[in-house]
Amino acid sequence: MLAQRSRQTAVFLAWAGVFTPVSGFHKFYLGQPFWGALYLLLSWTQIPRVACAIEGFLLLAKSPDAFGAVNVPAQEAKAGLDPKQINALAEALRELDTLRQEGLISELEFEQKRRLLLDRVA
């Protein structure tokens, strides 16, 4: 299943990079290890701090949908999955889980339908 990243956490980590001696943790959190390492290497300069402040505001200004579309983990991007397909699959799985929690479908039905949804992606 997809690892959903929190926009608030990303913003907090970006702004933390402004006030702490090292920065770039938000890049690691967002699945961009190259940029995270670059920020860490340049932490002795003011460049990452300024970039973190700007990125914190940009992340905060993005709508949750826009943040989710950009925030696609590397494995899904390599597999050629469209962010819209990923969001549709996540929504379908949430609805299916809601039906299970409300007792409208059994555990067996939930598992069968969940597997069908996931098999379409693979």
Side-chain angles (χ1 to χ4, degrees), residues 38-121:
L38 187 63
Y39 277 49
L40 286 174
L41 289 173
L42 293 174
S43 286
W44 61 277
T45 69
Q46 295 298 318
I47 296 169
R49 290 183 178 178
V50 172
C52 284
I54 293 169
E55 288 174 353
F57 282 112
L58 291 176
L59 288 169
L60 190 61
K62 282 186 182 182
S63 70
D65 292 335
F67 177 77
V70 173
N71 184 26
V72 177
Q75 292 86 7
E76 287 85 13
K78 287 180 184 175
L81 296 176
D82 182 22
K84 290 180 182 176
Q85 291 174 330
I86 293 170
N87 289 337
L89 175 65
E91 183 61 31
L93 289 170
R94 275 189 224 102
E95 289 175 12
L96 191 61
D97 187 48
T98 301
L99 291 173
R100 179 183 58 85
Q101 289 176 356
E102 292 175 356
L104 298 173
I105 61 173
S106 68
E107 285 289 330
L108 180 62
E109 290 171 314
F110 168 77
E111 189 60 32
Q112 289 172 340
K113 292 179 189 288
R114 185 185 72 81
R115 288 191 186 276
L116 284 174
L117 285 170
L118 294 176
D119 286 344
R120 276 197 253 167
V121 176

Side-chain angles (χ1 to χ4, degrees), residues 10-21:
V11 169
F12 173 78
L13 289 172
W15 285 344
V18 175
F19 302 108
T20 59

